[in-house]
Structure formats: structure tokens, C-alpha cells
Amino acid sequence: MEITRTIRSADWDSAELSGESYQRVLFQEVDMTELVDSGSSFEQCVFRNVRFNVSTHENARFIGCEFSRCSFFDATFSDCKLTGSTFEGCTYGLLKVEGGDWSYVALPGADLRGSSFDGVRLREADLAGVRLQGAKVRRSDLSGASLRGADLTTCDLRGSDLSGLDPHTVTLKGAIIDPFQATMIAAALGLDVRG
């Protein structure tokens, strides 16, 4: 990815962004703690060691971005678009995602315990090996998503599209599902479901 500008070691703590646009910018060790972002656009940007803790993002776009060793503790993304973005070595405690499009996002091996995804489009997302124990993934579109090796122990999955889920390759102990999902998973296990 070609970088055209670098913002390094900046203090954006509690800053407010509204409708700003960044393209091919490297954000290095920027403090975005408690930042409030409304409608800003980041395209093909790189975030390294950026602190997004307790930040809120509404109707923002992070298209094809790279997040490396960033922290998202208690961050909230509402109706945001993160299509094609990749995450590596990040921390996420209590991340909240409400609505929006996270299709084709790469979150392999992410520790998302206690996080919440509600009404999120996660089509074709790479969620291989994610840890979602005690998390909520409600009313979300997981069609085509890779969940191989994912730990969904006690995860609330009600209302989500699990049509691509292979129950043989994930841990589902104590996961909370609805009756329709139960029928789908039973069929995927080779059971003969009859009324």
C-alpha cells in the first residue's frame, strides 16, 4: 500500500472529527482515546499502535485499511463501513459494533471475548480462530464467513445467518441460538430433523 502522508505520535484524545477525509495516510502511535468521529472517511489508511479506546465512530468509513497492534477497548462503531480492512495483533475488550458493513474484513485469531456485534454485515469475513466466548453476534449476516477454529462458547448468536457454519470445525458449547438456527445446525451435523 502506497502511503502519501504520515501522522506520527499525535494526541487526538477527545478530539472531534466530522466528515473529514483521509486517503493512504499512515497513523503511527496516535492517541484517539475518547475521540468522537461522525461521518469521516479513511481509505487505504494504515493504523499502527493507535489507541481507539472509548472512541465512538458513527457513519464513518474505513475502506481497505490496515490496523496493526491497535487497541479498541470499549470503542463503539455505529453504522460504519469497514469493507476489506485487516486487523493484526489488536486488542478489543468490550468492542461494540452496531449495524454497518464489515464484509471481507480479516480478523483471524482475534480475541473478541465480551464484544458485541448487532445487525452487522460480516459477509465473507475471515473470522478463523476468533475467540467469541461470552460475546454477542446478534442479527448479523455471517454468510460466507470463515469461522474454522472459532470458539463460540456461550456466544449469543440469535438471529444471525449461520448458513455457512460448519459445526464440526467450531466450538459451540453453551452457545445461545434460536429454533431456526438449531434446525440448521442439526441438519449440518447429519441429523434427520422431523416435525
Side-chain angles (χ1 to χ4, degrees):
M1 185 181 298
E2 182 185 346
I3 297 299
T4 58
R5 178 181 165 206
T6 298
I7 298 176
R8 191 184 309 274
S9 302
D11 184 0
W12 288 18
D13 189 333
S14 303
E16 294 188 15
L17 300 180
S18 181
E20 298 192 31
S21 181
Y22 300 89
Q23 200 164 18
R24 294 194 171 98
V25 176
L26 167 61
F27 294 86
Q28 176 85 35
E29 296 180 354
V30 177
D31 186 358
M32 295 189 181
T33 302
E34 297 189 356
L35 174 139
V36 178
D37 170 14
S38 178
S40 293
S41 175
F42 301 84
E43 292 191 41
Q44 294 184 301
C45 291
V46 176
F47 299 85
R48 288 191 192 136
N49 294 307
V50 173
R51 291 182 295 283
F52 288 93
N53 303 329
V54 205
S55 62
T56 58
H57 307 267
E58 188 171 348
N59 293 309
R61 293 161 44 94
F62 296 84
I63 308 299
C65 292
E66 295 177 11
F67 298 88
S68 177
R69 298 184 305 280
C70 297
S71 57
F72 293 91
F73 176 76
D74 204 16
T76 301
F77 291 83
S78 301
D79 297 316
C80 293
K81 188 170 186 175
L82 280 87
T83 312
S85 290
T86 61
F87 295 78
E88 181 183 2
C90 299
T91 56
Y92 307 93
L94 304 180
L95 171 70
K96 290 184 285 295
V97 182
E98 301 160 356
D101 190 350
W102 288 52
S103 297
Y104 307 102
V105 159
L107 280 159
D111 185 350
L112 295 164
R113 289 177 294 175
S115 295
S116 171
F117 292 81
D118 193 344
V120 184
R121 187 172 183 167
L122 286 156
R123 299 186 101 172
E124 306 283 334
D126 182 359
L127 303 173
V130 295
R131 300 175 66 186
L132 283 161
Q133 299 100 309
K136 294 180 181 177
V137 185
R138 302 285 311 274
R139 296 179 292 275
S140 294
D141 183 356
L142 290 162
S143 56
S146 170
L147 285 159
R148 178 174 292 276
D151 190 339
L152 304 171
T153 303
T154 67
C155 181
D156 188 346
L157 296 162
R158 288 174 293 172
S160 291
D161 181 344
L162 302 179
S163 57
L165 177 73
D166 181 350
H168 295 98
T169 65
V170 298
T171 302
L172 282 168
K173 185 175 182 180
I176 303 167
I177 57 176
D178 59 40
F180 176 76
Q181 293 168 324
T183 302
M184 185 178 298
I185 290 172
L189 287 168
L191 302 178
D192 184 358
V193 181
R194 301 184 184 184

